[in-house]
Amino acid sequence: MKILSDNHQQAFQISPTILYYLCFKFSNLHQILFASLPQFRLPNISTSIAMFSKSTLALLFLATTQFNNKCHAFPFEERSLERRSAPVVMGLAKSFGAIAATTLTSTGNTLITGDCGTSPGTSITGFLPGVCTGTTSAGGTAAFNAEGDCLTAYNAARASTPTTLLPVSDLGGLTLNPGVYTFPTSAVTLTGALTLNGTLSSKGQFIFLINTTFGSAANSQVLVINGAQACNVYFIVGTSASIGGASALKGNILAYTAIAASEAASNQGTWCALNAAVTLIDNSLTALTTCTT
């Protein structure tokens, strides 16, 4: 936050944590000055205030008024970052475009840029004609470790402290800053475009805690702007996720049950089905192996 005026020769930035402390202290001082100025008497005022002249008190009052206004204008979303839990990480699952507990099924020319697998299940079908550019692990050690890290990430996200209760359960049309989001209903949808803004922190995470189902309508999008990273987006789904045709998503979908995608849907990130199948149709999934949190 810039403390000095825009036309001042020197401006500096301070962290949100320090700012809250200063806001708290200046707010107290502002209230004391407000109480003392009308009469320019100093009853019940501490000796540290009483030693100032009337003119000095007036200047201090104006200064604290300006700072107080700055504090009230400070964005809520940036404050919420300071209360955020430890970052969620995908661990060994980050190299997987899709990982399922039971079966991974593809119809048509699906392209998974990254690893693909199942654990404890061993059924992977539709490759070929589908293509998995990385390791294919059907019940192997790599898939076992990836499923384990998916579960760890799911539980860590569930344990995150919510920062914002959204007023709607359709994410379409919203522009959001990093935070941990909850909803007024158990099921959540995405109709249209969800924009995730990294202006406040390019390392910030966007965590959506969904109690039951998540569904995106056809042609829906997740957009990341101003430095936001798709790898830091988490849709934590209490049951199953269904992705509409030609949707272009960005983020990790961790579904407690299953994930099913319609034709030509795409994603950047990892799709994890913790207890059932991942079902694909002519999809394009790209694992994100590099992430800054």
Side-chain angles (χ1 to χ4, degrees):
M1 177 183 177
K2 186 186 293 185
I3 301 299
L4 302 181
S5 61
D6 291 335
N7 60 358
H8 198 283
Q9 290 183 349
Q10 292 183 331
F12 59 96
Q13 304 288 327
I14 61 175
S15 74
T17 302
I18 296 173
L19 179 62
Y20 307 144
Y21 178 80
L22 291 176
C23 284
F24 175 76
K25 291 298 184 181
F26 270 77
S27 177
N28 288 345
L29 177 59
H30 182 79
Q31 293 174 14
I32 292 172
L33 292 170
F34 181 80
S36 64
L37 277 174
Q39 311 90 329
F40 288 101
R41 297 195 309 269
L42 301 175
N44 302 318
I45 303 299
S46 67
T47 55
S48 60
I49 294 293
M51 68 181 182
F52 292 113
S53 67
K54 296 176 182 179
S55 59
T56 302
L57 282 173
L59 288 173
L60 282 172
F61 179 74
L62 290 174
T64 57
T65 299
Q66 184 179 15
F67 194 88
N68 229 26
N69 291 337
K70 294 275 188 182
C71 290
H72 287 301
F74 191 57
F76 170 81
E77 291 81 5
E78 188 165 350
R79 292 198 297 261
S80 70
L81 290 177
E82 293 300 314
R83 300 194 301 271
R84 192 183 70 173
S85 305
V88 178
V89 295
M90 290 299 295
L92 295 174
K94 67 184 178 182
S95 66
F96 281 74
I99 177 77
T102 56
T103 62
L104 173 60
T105 303
S106 171
T107 300
N109 297 313
T110 293
L111 173 61
I112 297 179
T113 304
D115 301 332
C116 55
T118 55
S119 179
T122 58
S123 176
I124 299 178
T125 60
F127 300 88
L128 297 165
V131 175
C132 179
T133 65
T135 299
T136 299
S137 179
T141 300
F144 175 82
N145 291 334
E147 271 285 319
D149 283 353
C150 280
L151 179 60
T152 299
Y154 181 94
N155 289 334
R158 282 287 178 202
S160 297
T161 303
T163 59
T164 304
L165 171 61
L166 292 172
V168 295
S169 293
D170 188 343
L171 290 165
L174 300 181
T175 298
L176 301 175
N177 295 314
V180 181
Y181 293 92
T182 56
F183 302 88
T185 61
S186 61
V188 173
T189 57
L190 170 60
T191 306
L194 166 65
T195 303
L196 304 177
N197 187 356
T199 298
L200 296 180
S201 173
S202 62
K203 300 178 181 179
Q205 296 195 317
F206 304 80
I207 300 174
F208 301 96
L209 300 179
I210 301 166
N211 288 337
T212 57
T213 60
F214 171 64
S216 73
N219 300 300
S220 294
Q221 301 178 75
V222 174
L223 308 173
V224 290
I225 63 172
N226 296 324
Q229 301 174 76
C231 61
N232 279 327
V233 180
Y234 289 86
F235 297 91
I236 307 301
V237 183
T239 55
S240 294
S242 58
I243 310 304
S247 292
L249 305 187
K250 291 180 174 65
N252 305 295
I253 298 180
L254 279 58
Y256 188 79
T257 309
I259 302 173
S262 296
E263 187 171 3
S266 65
N267 184 63
Q268 295 179 23
T270 299
W271 284 358
C272 291
L274 293 173
N275 289 287
V278 173
T279 305
L280 307 173
I281 305 175
D282 284 319
N283 302 126
S284 177
L285 308 181
T286 303
L288 302 174
T289 57
T290 301
C291 191
T292 305
T293 57

